[in-house]
Amino acid sequence: LGVGMSSPYVVQDRGAITESVHPWSAVAVRDSAVFGRVGEPWRCAWRSAAKPFQLAVSLDLLGVPDLSDEEIAVGAASHSAEPEHIRWVRQVLARFQVDEGLLRCGAHPPVHEPAAARILRQGHGFEPIHNNCSGKHAFMLAAVQSRDWEVDYRAPEHPLQLQVRKALTGFCGEGLQLAVDGCGVPTFGLSLLGMAKAWSRLSEAMEDGPGSSLGRIGRVMARYPNLTSGTDRLDAAIVALSREPMAVKIGAAGLFCMALPRRRLGIAVKVHSGDRQALGCAVVATLAKVAPGAIVEPPEDWPWHVVRNVVGVQVGRRYARI
């Protein structure tokens, strides 16, 4: 891959020991042109950072129904399966009269550990609705049901997924490699430049006002970051620092994408090692480079800067070098 220390990197220290080093790359796009770049060219899987665009396809197939902001937010979410997330996913299923048992995302424990513990204490098991992608899947199910398509919507050749691939290719302006996401539907390999182009389109749609499902999705994501992520998650933490509207979305394996509508800017950040803790430092440093003033400086005890041991004592720090 040719990535060396010419890339910016995040260092994790434990006391006086350098414990790990995590190079990262980022691209920012405005008006379809590169606005800023740090690090090396990079390709990776888009994963959950594609969700607003996947949701836009489902909404368009549904005829852009009259939905609450909360329903749209959970459709673009990688949620933590906290009670409010589950309530809104079930509201989406009920609105479109979709059977929860048809969700094909698979079950995993809630990302939010107290929510997982509560389910176990109640004597229940984990179900597909607890999957962080269940909101996206609820809208996919609703879309295929509205068109009388095959109810198992996961295959790359399914009409829904063909529509998604066509739309996403248009948004990013490049060809997409196909792979399987963690939740079973297709994910797409492309460059950070392509991702940033798509997110710049999202930023433009957010600023251009009513009229497009994509613009509303972005504005809702900016207003409800706790619904699109959850308690103590990076998405919500970045929006909490913001000085201006922004829609943000974590992907997986160290990916993070952002739309800043007032700047008409789309940004894609990738920590090459996939380290989730280093990602927070990389995102903050990238914003300081390409969108100065967009967020306030995180506090000293910001969780993505501080390394703690199992009893909560600070034993090290993470910091970015660019």
Side-chain angles (χ1 to χ4, degrees):
L1 295 171
V3 175
M5 294 311 292
S6 60
S7 293
Y9 54 94
V10 174
V11 178
Q12 177 170 311
D13 287 343
R14 184 173 294 270
I17 302 168
T18 297
E19 188 165 52
S20 57
V21 178
H22 306 275
W24 95 86
S25 297
V27 179
V29 168
R30 175 188 286 168
D31 298 328
S32 300
V34 174
F35 178 79
R37 188 194 303 265
V38 294
E40 310 286 344
W42 195 261
R43 291 181 64 88
C44 62
W46 210 355
R47 303 295 298 275
S48 285
K51 278 179 177 170
F53 309 98
Q54 293 167 305
L55 176 59
V57 173
S58 293
L59 291 183
D60 289 343
L61 288 169
L62 288 163
V64 194
D66 183 19
L67 295 164
S68 70
D69 286 352
E70 292 87 351
E71 288 168 322
I72 289 176
V74 83
S78 295
H79 63 72
S80 297
E82 297 168 60
E84 66 170 345
H85 299 124
I86 302 306
R87 182 172 66 253
W88 284 112
V89 175
R90 287 194 165 128
Q91 172 64 29
V92 171
L93 294 168
R95 177 180 292 277
F96 295 107
Q97 298 181 318
V98 174
D99 181 356
E100 183 178 324
L102 295 176
L103 288 170
R104 294 291 189 267
C105 47
H108 65 64
V111 175
H112 187 242
E113 292 182 2
R118 185 182 305 113
I119 292 166
L120 294 176
R121 284 197 306 270
Q122 293 170 346
H124 303 308
F126 303 126
E127 300 174 2
I129 199 161
H130 300 123
N131 187 302
N132 74 94
C133 299
S134 65
K136 175 182 75 175
H137 282 248
F139 276 100
M140 287 185 169
L141 259 177
V144 302
Q145 182 173 281
S146 74
R147 298 296 173 119
D148 200 26
W149 288 338
E150 164 60 42
V151 71
D152 188 345
Y153 48 85
R154 293 172 295 179
E157 64 274 11
H158 190 285
L160 171 65
Q161 303 304 339
L162 293 175
Q163 295 264 14
V164 168
R165 196 185 321 166
K166 179 181 178 181
L168 269 59
T169 300
F171 284 126
C172 67
E174 64 180 67
L176 303 175
Q177 293 176 276
L178 277 176
V180 180
D181 211 334
C183 61
V185 297
T187 190
F188 312 96
L190 69 161
S191 68
L192 291 183
L193 174 59
M195 296 179 198
K197 284 182 177 179
W199 278 78
S200 72
R201 294 279 298 276
L202 176 58
S203 73
E204 293 165 6
M206 291 170 68
E207 189 70 0
D208 289 345
S212 77
S213 56
L214 185 63
R216 187 182 179 198
I217 291 166
R219 291 189 294 273
V220 165
M221 291 176 71
R223 286 197 295 269
Y224 294 91
N226 286 311
L227 272 181
T228 60
S229 59
T231 302
D232 298 328
R233 299 278 299 281
L234 181 59
D235 309 55
I238 291 294
V239 176
L241 296 173
S242 65
R243 287 191 170 109
E244 60 191 71
M246 60 176 65
V248 308
K249 187 73 193 69
I250 201 165
L255 180 66
F256 202 86
C257 292
M258 297 171 274
L260 282 63
R262 291 181 183 171
R263 303 173 192 240
R264 300 177 76 83
L265 200 62
I267 305 169
V269 182
K270 171 68 176 181
V271 172
H272 303 153
S273 67
D275 188 86
R276 290 183 298 172
Q277 298 303 317
L279 182 59
C281 295
V283 168
V284 168
T286 298
L287 285 169
K289 178 78 171 179
V290 303
I295 61 172
V296 300
E297 185 71 20
E300 281 293 312
D301 61 350
W302 201 55
W304 290 268
H305 283 166
V306 176
V307 179
R308 299 186 185 276
N309 67 11
V310 295
V311 295
V313 175
Q314 181 175 342
V315 295
R317 286 195 67 80
R318 300 179 194 89
Y319 52 92
R321 290 283 184 257
I322 190 169

